[in-house]
Amino acid sequence: MRVATFSIAGERRVGLVDAEGETIAPFDLSVEAAKGGILGLIERNGALPRTLSPLPLSSVELEAPIPHPRRNIFCVGKNYYEHAHEFARSGFDSSAAAGAIPKDPIIFSKVPESVVATHSKVLIDTRVSSAIDYEAELAVIIGKEGRGISKEDALDHVWGYTIVNDVTARDLQGKYSQWLIGKSQDTFCPMGPWAVTKDEFDLETAGIRCFVNGDMRQNSKISLLIFDIPTIISTLSQGLTLKPGDIIATGTPAGVGIGFNPPKYLKAGDVVRVEIDGIGTLENRFSEWAQ
């Protein structure tokens, strides 16, 4: 099923999406239970509440599936072969000396306050950065707590999936050996448009694409990850307890802005659209931060 967090008449709600019928049926949840978005459903860990009468999708404002995650978003770097090589050539890769292809997953994070919804503006602060890049990614949503999770059991801990654009200030990423500042600027984590439960998503066949102003820049398959999702979950959980609602962005394919010569950075007015088969489309316009 497709589940969205949305607002209507100033209230946050959670609902079941019928993308073909372009409707959303709100779950019968209290305002308090819907406060965290789909977290309320994940934490029920049981039968879903009944749904109310469907509403036209056009009549609601979609929010990020989890508008404010409780913890940083876990992210994986250099996790597609071609992207690992383009990043190693870019001059921004502080780990390039160890080789283009990592031996183990490279983990970093984005702060919760960077999350915005589909159709929200992503803000470019030219006083801080002049090298803004896009990264289309599949994100995993954890549904069951676990520590020391084996690869064999890893998918049992998954609730579902959504789309993330791991927007990055490349100049800040290059300046600091840790990536958090360049990855965590305000509005730098568009997420959505909704989440799909794991039973409705095919990791083997799903394609991932990214367009900038209608021009396709990235086009790959989720199955081409260097470190697959069970490996990522197992790696993260070694000594670190994963909790329901944790989000893991799994890496981006080749075709990011720094992969071009000269680089194709984003500017105010650009529209970035990320598509993942079986989930939907995440689209955001980039705008200049008001001085």
Side-chain angles (χ1 to χ4, degrees):
M1 63 183 179
R2 290 178 170 87
V3 182
T5 301
F6 66 97
S7 59
I8 186 168
E11 269 189 6
R12 178 172 290 161
R13 310 298 298 178
V14 180
L16 195 59
V17 176
D18 180 349
E20 292 182 2
E22 298 184 342
T23 62
I24 184 164
F27 287 110
D28 189 10
L29 289 171
S30 68
V31 172
E32 184 62 29
K35 186 177 180 180
I38 67 170
L39 273 173
L41 291 185
I42 295 171
E43 291 174 342
R44 288 175 67 95
N45 194 27
L48 293 174
R50 69 187 184 98
T51 54
L52 306 176
S53 299
L55 304 167
L57 267 173
S58 59
S59 70
V60 307
E61 181 180 353
L62 289 174
E63 300 190 40
I66 301 177
H68 191 276
R70 290 174 177 162
R71 305 206 288 185
N72 283 17
I73 295 96
F74 298 105
C75 304
V76 185
K78 296 174 63 174
N79 203 23
Y80 286 82
Y81 287 97
E82 291 182 5
H83 172 64
H85 285 292
E86 73 176 352
F87 188 48
R89 293 191 301 266
S90 71
F92 292 93
D93 183 6
S94 59
S95 66
I101 306 302
K103 295 178 181 178
D104 296 289
I106 296 172
I107 307 297
F108 59 95
S109 72
K110 298 170 82 79
V111 299
E113 290 76 15
S114 63
V115 172
V116 293
T118 188
H119 302 308
S120 294
K121 291 180 180 179
V122 178
L123 300 176
I124 298 174
D125 190 342
T126 54
R127 298 167 299 180
V128 177
S129 173
S130 59
I132 308 302
D133 209 346
Y134 52 87
E135 293 192 4
E137 306 201 11
L138 173 72
V140 178
I141 302 171
I142 295 297
K144 185 173 73 171
E145 183 174 304
R147 184 178 187 273
I149 301 167
S150 69
K151 294 179 186 178
E152 293 74 21
D153 294 336
L155 293 181
D156 292 338
H157 292 261
V158 174
W159 182 86
Y161 302 93
T162 189
I163 304 172
V164 158
N165 184 352
D166 177 18
V167 181
T168 306
R170 294 297 185 193
D171 40 8
L172 300 182
Q173 184 181 34
K175 181 178 180 179
Y176 303 109
S177 58
Q178 296 290 332
W179 296 352
L180 186 131
I181 293 176
K183 295 284 190 175
S184 294
Q185 300 286 295
D186 293 343
T187 74
F188 271 25
C189 190
M191 182 188 299
W194 39 66
V196 300
T197 48
K198 65 180 178 182
D199 58 299
E200 288 210 6
F201 187 71
D202 191 336
L203 292 167
E204 294 303 316
T205 63
I208 178 170
R209 296 168 294 279
C210 181
F211 301 81
V212 178
N213 301 324
D215 175 35
M216 183 184 285
R217 298 282 183 84
Q218 296 179 280
N219 185 17
S220 190
K221 294 281 190 181
I222 302 300
S223 59
L224 296 178
L225 290 168
I226 297 172
F227 303 106
D228 62 15
I229 288 167
T231 300
I232 294 167
I233 290 173
S234 179
T235 298
L236 278 169
S237 72
Q238 301 310 306
L240 187 161
T241 301
L242 291 177
K243 296 180 178 292
D246 280 346
I247 299 165
I248 307 168
T250 57
T252 197
V256 296
I258 55 167
F260 295 89
N261 187 17
K264 294 184 177 181
Y265 293 131
L266 298 170
K267 61 185 184 303
D270 286 344
V271 176
V272 179
R273 185 173 83 250
V274 182
E275 300 174 350
I276 297 183
D277 298 333
I279 300 179
T281 301
L282 172 70
E283 182 172 291
N284 298 87
R285 181 177 296 274
F286 285 65
S287 300
E288 190 164 338
W289 191 282
Q291 302 292 321

